[in-house]
Amino acid sequence: MKKTSLLLALGAVALLATATSHAAFVVTYDFTGGSPNAVVTGDLADTARITASPFTFTSTTTETSASSGAGPDGGFSSAGNAFLRGDATGSTEAAALADDDFFSFTISVNNAVVDRLDLSSFTFDFGGTATATGFTTNVYVQSSVDGFGTGNPVLFTDSQAIAANADNASLNTANAVPVGTAAFDSLTNVTFQFRFSDTATTSPQINRFDNVVVNGAVVPEPSTVAMLLGGLGLLAMLRRRA
C-alpha cells in the first residue's frame, strides 16, 4: 500500500509540474513578401498550445484609393509591411476609432480548459510614405480586453511626422504597447486592432507599420492547478494513514 501511495504521489507531482510549467512564446508578424501570417518561436515552436491568427485588414467598403487609383485602401505590401492610404482615413482620433478601415490579429490558447495566456510585451514599428509634401500619421491600438471603436479606451497611441519624399515603414521603431499588466494575464484569447488618422492631403501618402512582435507565456488555468494540489494533498493524507 505504501509503495502504491508513493507511486501515486510521485505521479501527481509530475502532473503538477507539467500543469504549472510556463511555456514562453514569441509571435512575430514581419509581413515578408506581403504575407499576413505569424511566425511563432520559443518554447512553443510547434504551436501546440497557441494559435496566432493571420493579420487581417478589414473594410466595410470595397473602393480603391480615389485620388491615386493605385489599388485597395489598405493591406500588405510585397515590400514587407502593412499599409493604409492616407486618403482612406480621417484626421482625428475620433474619426480613426469610427473608421471602417482597420487591422487586427488574435492570439488564443488551443485548450481553454487547462491553458491561459500571460502577455509580457508587444512592440511594432510605424511610419509612412510621403510625396513632396510631408504629413503626420497617428496610430491607435485597442484590445479586446477593453473593447474596440468609439467609446472604448485606446491602449496605445503615437504620432510621427513623415518628411517630404520619405519612404520608411520603420520610422519609429519598437513602439511599446503596455500589455505587461494584470489585465493581460490569464486570458484564453486576445485581439488587437490598429487604426490610423493622418494629415495626408495628396497622393500617394501612405501610413505603414511593420515588425509586430508579441512576447508572452502559456500558463496553467488556475482551477486546474488547484485541483491537482487538492489531489496531491489527498494522496499525502492517504499515505500518512497507510
Side-chain angles (χ1 to χ4, degrees):
M1 178 67 178
K2 289 183 178 180
K3 183 177 180 181
T4 300
S5 297
L6 178 59
L7 290 174
L8 288 172
L10 289 173
V13 169
L15 284 172
L16 182 61
T18 300
T20 55
S21 64
H22 291 204
F25 65 82
V26 182
V27 173
T28 302
Y29 297 90
D30 60 15
F31 309 116
T32 300
S35 172
N37 296 324
V39 176
V40 181
T41 55
D43 296 344
L44 297 184
D46 60 355
T47 66
R49 292 170 69 182
I50 67 167
T51 294
S53 75
F55 233 88
T56 301
F57 175 63
T58 299
S59 178
T60 60
T61 58
T62 57
E63 78 278 10
T64 58
S65 180
S67 61
S68 70
D73 287 339
F76 308 98
S77 167
S78 59
N81 53 67
F83 71 91
L84 178 61
R85 298 183 189 280
D87 54 11
T89 70
S91 60
T92 65
E93 177 177 322
L97 298 187
D99 199 355
D100 63 351
D101 294 319
F102 61 88
F103 295 86
S104 64
F105 70 95
T106 300
I107 302 173
S108 57
V109 296
N110 292 333
N111 188 342
V113 175
V114 298
D115 283 337
R116 292 292 185 269
L117 296 170
D118 280 3
L119 301 189
S120 57
S121 67
F122 171 9
T123 61
F124 69 97
D125 305 339
F126 89 103
T129 297
T131 60
T133 302
F135 72 104
T136 299
T137 176
N138 307 281
V139 64
Y140 310 93
V141 181
Q142 292 181 299
S143 81
S144 55
V145 171
D146 293 317
F148 301 116
T150 302
N152 289 307
V154 173
L155 181 62
F156 175 85
T157 183
D158 200 6
S159 178
Q160 289 298 309
I162 311 302
N165 301 310
D167 188 1
N168 189 345
S170 302
L171 181 65
N172 190 23
T173 60
N175 296 275
V177 180
V179 297
T181 65
F184 292 93
D185 289 346
S186 198
L187 302 174
T188 58
N189 62 80
V190 61
T191 300
F192 295 97
Q193 288 186 0
F194 287 70
R195 296 171 186 265
F196 291 86
S197 68
D198 55 59
T199 61
T201 56
T202 61
S203 182
Q205 292 177 319
I206 302 174
N207 304 289
R208 300 186 186 274
F209 66 100
D210 200 357
N211 300 320
V212 178
V213 181
V214 180
N215 286 267
V218 176
V219 299
E221 192 278 329
S223 65
T224 300
V225 178
M227 180 181 66
L228 287 171
L229 285 171
L232 186 58
L234 178 60
L235 284 173
M237 182 178 66
L238 290 174
R239 186 168 183 272
R240 283 196 301 270
R241 289 181 177 179

